[in-house]
Amino acid sequence: MALGDFLYRCPFCGAEPLEGKGDKASCSGCARQYERGEEGTRIFVHEGDGRKSGIPARRLAERLDELESASGPSREGRGYLLESAAVARFATGEEPVRFRGALLGYVEKMGPERAGTLGLGARTLKFRERDGTVHQWDLLDLRALQTASSTVQVSSVEGGVVTFSFAGDSPRWWERLLKVHLRKLWREEDRGEIFEFQPRIRAR
Amino acid sequence: MTLWYRVLQPFVRWVVIGLLRPRVEGLEHIPASGPAFLVPNHQSILDPILVQAICPRAVDSMTKSTQFSNGIFRWLLPRLHAFPVRRYRTDAQSVRVVLRRLAEGRIVCVYPEGERSWDGCLQPFRGGTLRVLLRAGVPVVPVGIDGTYDVWPRWGTRPRLGATVHLRFGEPLHFGALQDRRAREAALPEAERSLRRALFELSGEAERAAAEALEGRNPSSEDARVEPY
């Protein structure tokens, strides 16, 4: 994970994604540079004119929320709202976890990594593997959505969990965009207002 | 208590105290015996280690199932009193394990936010977790963790020691044992409010919000929009 996973676009000018690795990130749009502060709750923002200020992470997150409601991603193209190189893993089943003979629970059995491209369309989520195989989910069929460490996980009514990890994009960005889009879609379909995305999507 | 827990807990405690130097308050709120929930906020990967290291009683932890994917962790975690929960579905088995362990008089730790915070602030609580708290009818000890986000935020590539870490155990909340589903649903909003209020205070977020509000008057700082609970 990196600072760019949290600040998936510039909180000031909205350009995305931020460049950089680890605890530093920079914006190619407004030349601001971001750096993990002495306290993690504060992030140093280096302005183009040399000024430096420590801004609470929460306030930067609020700015991102405001940007999200004002405008979508700036990389629209090829019919997708967002498209990223991704590695997918499909759950192939579940295995019981036992300890001293007692059943503790279950854990997903994940299949091999498959590299490809994940695209978010108006009504679909589409993963195209490098060999051309296409997996597509109707957004209204998604049953749950969450981020786990550095991945985004979705499950659909057809069952099975799929995890996506991104080399050049933030899982947080994907999760938030999917949430905004799902809320909008559910509203349009008169399915109500989504208030929970896991353990399953629920609306009232 | 498993042998592994008995052996590793003092060692981890020694390491945690040495490296993080946590300031611990309210240990007296943890029941000396009998079942209870520990309900912390979740700022960092360090939180479960910190809670288990500091709590004087053995703590059973509800842990995301993906942690059990790795062979070593799958072997070790049950020995450290962890059990898996699948987060993409309502996991009836994990609820059964929680209730069974409470019936055995143990302490169970659950994180109502369900995942680590990206910005260090309290996130919305998961309804399923709250329903389990309401159903079990045991004391719920809110645990405020403050400072682990400074040491190792979710997005941080490595820990950075030196920040002050606080661990505050609050007075137990009592929600009663609501076996009836409708009663649970009716009690849910108030339970959520009580728990959120407690964690907001104990995790230092209330204090931070007040400080940021003051700072907002400083024209050099960015827009200080503060939304206290």
Side-chain angles (χ1 to χ4, degrees):
Chain A
M1 299 282 260
L3 180 54
D5 287 320
F6 171 48
L7 298 179
Y8 47 83
R9 64 194 296 193
C10 178
F12 292 91
C13 76
E16 52 89 20
L18 295 185
E19 289 161 7
K21 282 183 180 172
D23 293 342
K24 291 182 178 177
S26 61
C27 173
S28 53
C30 63
R32 280 188 174 86
Q33 292 186 328
Y34 299 88
E35 187 186 356
R36 180 175 168 186
E38 294 302 320
E39 301 167 17
T41 42
R42 280 179 188 269
I43 291 170
F44 287 137
V45 181
H46 301 266
E47 308 283 343
D49 58 7
R51 279 183 301 142
K52 173 182 163 186
S53 51
I55 299 182
R58 180 173 65 147
R59 246 184 267 164
L60 294 174
E62 284 169 359
R63 290 191 79 110
L64 290 175
D65 288 344
E66 287 161 17
L67 282 172
E68 241 160 60
S69 51
S71 66
S74 57
R75 273 185 293 163
E76 291 186 27
R78 287 194 285 176
Y80 290 113
L81 294 167
L82 185 61
E83 187 181 34
S84 304
V87 173
R89 290 186 78 187
F90 293 72
T92 55
E94 290 182 331
E95 289 176 323
V97 177
R98 296 179 190 279
F99 182 59
R100 292 178 178 167
L103 176 64
L104 292 186
Y106 295 90
V107 59
E108 308 82 6
K109 209 167 143 185
M110 301 306 288
E113 292 186 345
R114 301 179 195 190
T117 309
L118 184 67
L120 173 64
R123 299 187 70 90
T124 57
L125 188 64
K126 189 185 279 188
F127 180 68
R128 182 185 297 274
E129 291 186 49
R130 276 192 190 143
D131 65 7
T133 310
V134 173
H135 308 267
Q136 187 168 304
W137 300 267
D138 189 318
L139 289 176
L140 290 170
D141 287 343
L142 292 187
R143 196 173 59 182
L145 166 70
Q146 66 186 18
T147 52
S149 297
S150 57
T151 63
V152 170
Q153 297 183 334
V154 296
S155 66
S156 73
V157 288
E158 291 160 10
V161 181
V162 188
T163 70
F164 298 102
S165 52
F166 307 95
D169 267 318
S170 157
R172 177 170 148 85
W173 184 207
W174 263 95
E175 183 209 23
R176 295 186 68 85
L177 194 64
L178 269 166
K179 282 184 175 175
V180 167
H181 203 59
L182 281 168
R183 281 202 173 98
K184 184 169 159 259
L185 209 56
W186 277 57
R187 246 180 260 131
E188 285 171 6
E189 295 287 324
D190 282 333
R191 288 189 173 197
E193 194 65 36
I194 297 177
F195 65 91
E196 203 168 63
F197 286 89
Q198 66 175 98
R200 60 190 173 89
I201 295 174
R202 290 184 195 189
R204 55 166 80 95
Chain B
M1 194 187 293
T2 65
L3 178 65
W4 279 90
Y5 197 103
R6 201 174 299 147
V7 170
L8 283 179
Q9 198 267 355
F11 173 70
V12 173
R13 180 184 168 83
W14 178 74
V15 172
V16 162
I17 290 176
L19 292 179
L20 298 179
R21 303 190 178 280
R23 295 180 187 172
V24 182
E25 297 166 33
L27 276 177
E28 68 278 11
H29 295 310
I30 301 172
S33 61
F37 274 115
L38 291 186
V39 185
N41 58 312
H42 203 357
Q43 294 190 335
S44 166
I45 199 169
L46 300 169
D47 299 340
I49 301 166
L50 180 66
V51 170
Q52 280 197 320
I54 298 299
C55 185
R57 291 179 60 194
V59 178
D60 295 17
S61 302
M62 188 186 260
T63 307
K64 65 181 177 185
S65 56
T66 46
Q67 298 278 40
F68 288 77
S69 307
N70 173 299
I72 294 170
F73 282 109
R74 189 157 174 179
W75 182 87
L76 182 63
L77 288 173
R79 285 161 176 80
L80 299 179
H81 296 207
F83 53 94
V85 58
R86 290 164 292 179
R87 299 187 305 163
Y88 55 89
R89 57 179 289 176
T90 306
D91 194 340
Q93 179 58 26
S94 70
V95 174
R96 275 194 286 271
V97 173
V98 168
L99 296 176
R100 195 192 305 151
R101 298 213 169 174
L102 291 171
E104 291 167 1
R106 292 155 79 158
I107 287 187
V108 174
C109 182
V110 292
Y111 291 83
E113 296 163 277
E115 65 177 322
R116 282 170 288 161
S117 169
W118 283 93
D119 61 6
C121 297
L122 266 182
Q123 307 167 86
F125 295 161
R126 301 282 150 82
T129 307
L130 294 169
R131 286 183 188 97
V132 175
L133 301 182
L134 290 172
R135 183 170 165 183
V138 303
V140 174
V141 180
V143 185
I145 300 174
D146 182 15
T148 53
Y149 184 88
D150 291 334
V151 177
W152 200 350
R154 180 172 180 169
W155 44 265
T157 47
R158 61 187 182 282
R160 189 185 282 171
L161 299 174
T164 308
V165 173
H166 287 272
L167 187 62
R168 301 182 185 96
F169 296 86
E171 284 184 29
L173 304 170
H174 298 273
F175 298 129
L178 304 173
Q179 299 305 322
D180 179 64
R181 192 175 180 160
R182 270 178 298 184
R184 268 202 304 275
E185 293 305 313
L188 204 63
E190 182 49 37
E192 179 169 14
R193 270 194 292 277
S194 310
L195 187 58
R196 180 164 285 277
R197 202 178 301 126
L199 288 181
F200 192 70
E201 292 293 334
L202 293 165
S203 68
E205 195 166 331
E207 206 178 315
R208 277 197 301 276
E212 284 172 25
L214 280 173
E215 197 179 283
R217 292 182 197 132
N218 178 352
S220 66
S221 68
E222 296 298 327
D223 57 332
R225 186 158 62 83
V226 177
E227 294 169 331
Y229 177 74

